[in-house]
Amino acid sequence: MSDGKIRTPQEVVGYWCETLTVKDWWQSTPELDARVREQFAVTHLALSREVTAEWQASPEARLAALIVLDQLPRNMYRASPMAFATDWIARREARLALEAGADKGVDYGRRHFFYMPFEHSEDIAEQDLSVQLFEAHGDEMYLDYAVRHRDVIAKYGRFPHRNGFLGRVSTQEEAAYLAEPGAGF
C-alpha cells in the first residue's frame, strides 16, 4: 500500500534511473507495475493537479516530472485510460524543459525521457518533433522507435493498440495491423 507520501524529484530519478534497469523500463512485470503504483501514485496525482516550482527547479527535477507524468503512468495504470491521462501535461512540461535546455543538463543516457512525451502523442506534428529530437540525440535504437511510432500515427492517425483501453472501435485496417506479431508498443 502507498504510504501517502509525495516523492521528491531526487527520489523519482533515483528509483527510475538507478534502482531500475533499462530492461525494467521496457519489459515491465505485473509485480513491478504494482511497486511503481504503490510508491508513486500519490506523486502522480499531485503532479496531475499542479507541477510546482520544485519540479522545474533544475534539469534533474524536470526529468523527474517527465518520468512521473509520462513514464510511470504506463506502469501504474497499464491497460487503462489512466495510462495516458497526463500525457498532455508531460508534453507541456517537455516543451518548457526543452526551452530551458534542461535535456542537455542531464546525462546522455537519460535525455530520451525529455523527447518521449512527443513520441507518445497521437498528433503527427508532435511525432515529427519526436523524430527530429531523436535524430539530434543520435541514439539509433531510440530513433528507430520514434520513427516507428510516427509511422503508425501517419498511417492510422492514432495508436490502434490504445483503442481497447480508450473505448475506441478499431477499423478493419487497424484490426489487421493489431493481429500482426509485435504490433503496438
Side-chain angles (χ1 to χ4, degrees):
M1 217 11 115
S2 169
D3 60 10
K5 179 183 172 196
I6 296 175
R7 305 295 176 190
T8 67
Q10 296 76 19
E11 288 174 309
V12 170
V13 171
Y15 182 78
W16 192 253
C17 296
E18 295 162 20
T19 300
L20 297 185
T21 66
V22 172
K23 182 181 178 188
D24 292 326
W25 296 342
W26 314 129
Q27 297 175 5
S28 191
T29 64
E31 296 78 22
L32 177 58
D33 288 350
R35 282 197 312 272
V36 169
R37 190 171 41 256
E38 289 164 9
Q39 292 185 49
F40 298 103
V42 171
T43 305
H44 178 255
L45 182 59
L47 264 68
S48 77
R49 292 178 173 144
E50 180 184 12
V51 179
T52 61
E54 173 188 17
W55 295 89
Q56 297 172 331
S58 69
E60 184 172 276
R62 288 179 181 274
L63 170 65
L66 293 173
I67 291 168
V68 169
L69 294 165
D70 185 64
Q71 296 297 306
L72 297 181
R74 285 163 165 72
N75 290 85
M76 294 186 294
Y77 308 117
R78 191 174 303 282
S80 156
M82 289 294 296
F84 319 109
T86 55
D87 281 7
W88 70 273
I89 305 170
R91 286 192 303 276
R92 180 193 71 204
E93 292 302 311
R95 284 187 193 284
L96 293 170
L98 293 175
E99 287 171 13
D103 58 322
K104 304 296 192 260
V106 301
D107 291 343
Y108 178 83
R110 298 176 181 181
R111 285 184 194 161
H112 58 278
F113 291 117
F114 288 88
Y115 315 142
M116 291 186 76
F118 305 110
E119 182 178 304
H120 292 149
S121 175
E122 290 187 322
D123 179 273
I124 192 65
E126 290 176 338
Q127 285 293 326
D128 289 339
L129 175 59
S130 165
V131 170
Q132 273 184 299
L133 292 166
F134 280 111
E135 282 175 343
H137 183 55
D139 183 298
E140 289 300 317
M141 180 194 73
Y142 287 120
L143 176 58
D144 176 62
Y145 275 103
V147 169
R148 289 172 44 208
H149 279 75
R150 183 193 57 199
D151 289 351
V152 169
I153 296 302
K155 184 167 185 172
Y156 303 105
R158 61 188 184 174
F159 289 119
H161 66 277
R162 294 183 185 176
N163 289 350
F165 311 135
L166 297 177
R168 302 186 303 208
V169 177
S170 293
T171 65
Q172 287 183 337
E173 189 179 25
E174 289 173 332
Y177 162 72
L178 291 170
E180 295 173 13
F185 299 100

